[in-house]
Amino acid sequence: MTPRRGLTSKDIVNSAAKIANQNGLSYVSISVVAQDLDIKPPSLYNHIRGLDELHELLAIHSCLLLYQKLHLATHNQSNREALTSFSYAYIDFARAYPGQYEAATHSYDEHHAQLKELQDQIINLVRTPLYELGFEEEYTVHLVRMLRSLLHGFVMLESAQGFKMDYQINDSLDVMIETFLIGIQRFEK
Amino acid sequence: MTPRRGLTSKDIVNSAAKIANQNGLSYVSISVVAQDLDIKPPSLYNHIRGLDELHELLAIHSCLLLYQKLHLATHNQSNREALTSFSYAYIDFARAYPGQYEAATHSYDEHHAQLKELQDQIINLVRTPLYELGFEEEYTVHLVRMLRSLLHGFVMLESAQGFKMDYQINDSLDVMIETFLIGIQRFEK
DNA sequence: TGCATAAACTAATGTTATTAGTTTATGCTG
DNA sequence: CAGCATAAACTAATAACATTAGTTTATGCA
């Protein structure tokens, strides 16, 4: 009964992001976002097509943020430094914005070309320095996959509390990245 | 209206596993499992406490199967062979039983001691050969985490179709495992 | 000043999990 | 062999969710 003008789709995505980061992506629902914005659930449909689109918008927004952080971290670095910086920035992002990390990496059945494009751009930030280290194109593909697996797996297991905290978790991260870099030296041209 | 005697909780878990492997863990619901077993949804409550318990039972069942496969794969192998065999068997399992892999690795807020215990046993299959290769205890912890991250990340990304199929995905797996083994040589005693 | 419209609302439908209470076939027991 | 307790099915009902349809109202422009 009180139409207001201020509410933009940016507000909606921000609310979704807040909820996702606080409680997990699965808590992002029409009803919870509506409650957070102080409107009734059906009112959201004036702005978005439905829950699927809400998740999609959050995914795009989160990919953009992730790209921005990773670009900043790898900008103007040597190839080897770029790999390290990328890795730590990637983990930092997942820790700082866990729900948005989930959204950015979740697989969407019918994701836009836009979302695919964004995810490709993120990967290219690490493909370029690897390629320039002198690996063959095919090996570069494998090593990109390895680094992605390593980082994504680390995030998943850490967020699932899959590691006991006996030994410092950050030391494990250091060892992982160091071991990866040592392991690939062998294949450098 | 037709009480039958045959339905066991094993049947229910098998149904849940079938559905999970076919369509994904998120498709395992009271209503879908009931439909698969040809009973009405409330009838399931004669056998299980609810959806949470169903997921829990599936998780335990899946961990047992995973442990069995990995134990078989690493049994009577040299330390180095055990690491390789473990890795390939792990990936094989995730490909053959994707829904059960999800169930086995999903994080449950209040999982039993039993579930934790099972997951620990799985990890010990790779902790032992690493430790016996002569690493310090602390390094062993880091390397166990690294291998878990690598394998889990690979599964996640592959199941999300995160890899383009330009280059053979199995070659990537070979390179990953090989690179890991080379990377850790440096720290062996 | 008035009107078109954006953006809120209420009401209603369908799906899901779950609880309560009812019925009936099975299998043991006297 | 009859009967009875019970396991295991059922129907009915409630609550949470997404979604659609149709209604109302304040805003901002003409």
Side-chain angles (χ1 to χ4, degrees):
Chain A
M1 295 230 194
T2 15
R4 66 197 208 204
R5 277 297 149 87
L7 190 61
T8 70
S9 88
K10 185 172 287 185
D11 295 323
I12 294 172
V13 174
N14 282 340
S15 168
K18 188 181 76 179
I19 293 160
N21 289 329
Q22 281 173 354
N23 299 100
L25 185 60
S26 68
Y27 282 76
V28 174
S29 65
I30 295 290
S31 59
V32 169
V33 170
Q35 195 167 14
D36 183 60
L37 295 170
D38 256 312
I39 58 177
K40 304 286 177 182
S43 305
L44 268 179
Y45 290 80
N46 286 314
H47 304 278
I48 56 169
R49 241 190 314 277
L51 185 58
D52 285 350
E53 194 186 35
L54 179 56
H55 281 113
E56 230 169 64
L57 290 172
L58 181 59
I60 290 170
H61 178 259
S62 302
C63 278
L64 285 169
L65 185 60
L66 176 57
Y67 178 82
Q68 182 192 313
K69 302 272 187 192
L70 294 175
H71 178 71
L72 207 68
T74 54
H75 193 59
N76 283 341
Q77 303 251 316
S78 74
N79 294 325
R80 204 158 258 276
E81 284 170 351
L83 294 180
T84 307
S85 298
F86 179 95
S87 300
Y88 286 107
Y90 189 94
I91 301 298
D92 285 346
F93 179 86
R95 287 172 172 170
Y97 310 97
Q100 289 185 260
Y101 179 83
E102 269 189 88
T105 56
H106 187 265
S107 81
Y108 301 91
D109 291 340
E110 302 223 2
H111 43 322
H112 302 6
Q114 191 186 354
L115 203 46
K116 272 193 173 159
E117 179 69 28
L118 277 170
Q119 289 168 341
D120 276 357
Q121 282 186 324
I122 289 170
I123 296 309
N124 279 336
L125 289 173
V126 77
R127 174 172 289 120
T128 305
L130 270 170
Y131 188 70
E132 288 180 356
L133 276 175
F135 296 108
E136 294 171 15
E137 196 182 338
E138 190 174 334
Y139 252 100
T140 302
V141 171
H142 298 320
L143 295 182
V144 168
R145 287 174 179 168
M146 178 168 179
L147 187 54
R148 277 184 83 185
S149 296
L150 205 53
L151 295 175
H152 186 56
F154 182 84
V155 169
M156 293 290 96
L157 294 175
E158 186 180 24
S159 74
Q161 311 269 355
F163 301 127
K164 294 184 206 135
M165 284 304 161
D166 316 329
Y167 297 96
Q168 286 307 315
I169 191 77
N170 284 324
D171 291 348
S172 293
L173 184 57
D174 294 343
V175 168
M176 276 173 41
I177 294 170
E178 192 184 350
T179 304
F180 171 75
L181 291 174
I182 290 167
I184 69 176
Q185 273 178 347
R186 200 167 219 260
F187 303 111
E188 284 181 44
K189 266 181 185 158
Chain B
M1 295 235 194
T2 15
R4 66 196 207 204
R5 275 298 148 88
L7 189 61
T8 69
S9 89
K10 187 172 284 188
D11 296 322
I12 294 172
V13 173
N14 282 341
S15 168
K18 189 181 78 179
I19 293 160
N21 289 329
Q22 281 173 355
N23 299 102
L25 185 60
S26 69
Y27 283 76
V28 174
S29 64
I30 294 290
S31 59
V32 170
V33 169
Q35 196 168 14
D36 183 60
L37 295 170
D38 256 311
I39 58 177
K40 303 287 175 180
S43 304
L44 270 179
Y45 289 81
N46 286 315
H47 304 278
I48 55 169
R49 240 191 315 276
L51 185 59
D52 285 351
E53 194 186 36
L54 178 58
H55 280 112
E56 231 168 64
L57 289 172
L58 181 60
I60 290 169
H61 179 260
S62 302
C63 279
L64 285 169
L65 186 60
L66 176 56
Y67 177 82
Q68 183 192 313
K69 302 273 187 191
L70 294 176
H71 179 70
L72 207 70
T74 54
H75 193 59
N76 283 340
Q77 304 253 314
S78 74
N79 293 325
R80 203 156 260 276
E81 283 169 353
L83 293 181
T84 307
S85 297
F86 180 95
S87 300
Y88 285 108
Y90 189 94
I91 301 298
D92 285 347
F93 179 87
R95 286 172 173 169
Y97 310 97
Q100 290 185 259
Y101 179 83
E102 268 188 88
T105 55
H106 186 264
S107 82
Y108 301 92
D109 291 339
E110 302 223 2
H111 43 321
H112 303 5
Q114 192 186 354
L115 201 48
K116 271 192 175 161
E117 179 68 28
L118 277 170
Q119 289 167 342
D120 275 358
Q121 282 187 325
I122 289 170
I123 296 310
N124 279 336
L125 289 173
V126 76
R127 174 172 289 121
T128 305
L130 269 171
Y131 188 70
E132 288 180 355
L133 276 176
F135 296 108
E136 295 172 13
E137 197 183 334
E138 188 173 336
Y139 252 100
T140 302
V141 172
H142 297 319
L143 294 182
V144 167
R145 287 175 180 166
M146 179 170 178
L147 187 54
R148 278 184 82 185
S149 296
L150 202 56
L151 295 174
H152 186 56
F154 182 84
V155 170
M156 292 291 97
L157 294 175
E158 187 181 23
S159 74
Q161 313 268 355
F163 300 126
K164 293 185 208 137
M165 285 302 162
D166 316 330
Y167 296 97
Q168 286 308 314
I169 191 78
N170 285 325
D171 291 347
S172 293
L173 184 56
D174 295 342
V175 168
M176 278 172 40
I177 294 170
E178 192 184 350
T179 303
F180 172 73
L181 292 173
I182 291 168
I184 69 176
Q185 274 178 346
R186 200 166 220 261
F187 303 111
E188 283 182 45
K189 266 180 185 159

